[in-house]
Amino acid sequence: MFFFGDSLTAGYGLKDPLKESLPARIGQILMSEGMDYHVINAGISGDTSVSGLNRLPDTLKIDTDIFVLELGANDLLRGHPAALVSHNLQKIISAVKATHPAADILILGMKLPFWIPDERAPGYRRIYQDLAVQNHCELVPYLLDGIEGRKHLNMYDGVHPLAEGYKIMADTVWPTLKK
């Protein structure tokens, strides 16, 4: 199982990302359920859909049954147009399907933060839902559901979860991933 994403996958700021990040927490759930999967954390802090697309060829050299895609939040913060983000994510999904046709793909969606008005980021609201439908992928609509805006679950930046937030994140992802 391959987690391909940005700081939210990498476990930015955690004391022990090898135990506390989303991929690590999913690995713990898999073990407790008696499911034998090797979980790879390919999260890089600051990654955008562009940089993810650039590093994808090396990633695809590793065989995988499940590819979890979590990118796009940094694109928004850097002002990349939604059409470019959607195009790049589609290229990633297409490359995964071409290289590993039997692999299932799970898209971890994001939402615009409450402080960004719609007119500043047109087109961002439906990127993940549209990609999931078009590509017949599973979707977790909002990775930070139950975490966003809750100070006790986030680092000082208000964006990156603390270890307790990652537990909630894993609980959000697990039901869809288990399918």
Side-chain angles (χ1 to χ4, degrees), residues 80-141:
H80 298 170
L84 174 66
V85 178
S86 181
H87 174 76
N88 291 336
L89 294 177
Q90 180 59 62
K91 286 180 84 169
I92 291 170
I93 292 167
S94 295
V96 171
K97 287 183 169 196
T99 307
H100 304 291
D104 290 315
I105 299 173
L106 172 60
I107 299 171
L108 302 180
M110 292 297 293
K111 291 182 180 177
L112 289 176
F114 65 90
W115 45 268
I116 295 180
D118 285 344
E119 57 275 0
R120 182 167 159 226
Y124 267 91
R125 296 259 182 240
R126 297 229 17 106
I127 289 175
Y128 301 102
Q129 294 84 349
D130 291 347
L131 287 169
V133 169
Q134 292 164 8
N135 292 283
H136 308 286
C137 297
E138 293 293 328
L139 171 69
V140 172

Side-chain angles (χ1 to χ4, degrees), residues 6-14 22 45-47 70 72-78 109-116 120 142-166 169:
D6 56 31
S7 58
L8 295 174
T9 293
Y12 170 83
L14 293 173
L22 175 61
S45 293
D47 234 5
E70 180 272 313
N74 289 319
D75 294 86
L76 168 65
L77 295 174
R78 291 190 176 115
M110 292 297 293
K111 291 182 180 177
L112 289 176
F114 65 90
W115 45 268
I116 295 180
R120 182 167 159 226
Y142 186 39
L143 182 59
L144 297 176
D145 192 24
I147 303 167
E148 179 189 26
R150 298 177 72 190
K151 288 185 179 188
H152 69 285
L153 296 174
N154 289 281
M155 294 181 190
Y156 64 91
D157 64 8
V159 174
H160 296 94
L162 296 166
E164 192 63 34
Y166 275 96
M169 190 186 294

Side-chain angles (χ1 to χ4, degrees), residues 28-40:
Q28 294 161 11
I29 293 171
L30 288 163
M31 283 180 42
S32 73
E33 297 266 337
M35 298 178 175
D36 187 26
Y37 280 90
H38 179 69
V39 179
I40 297 172

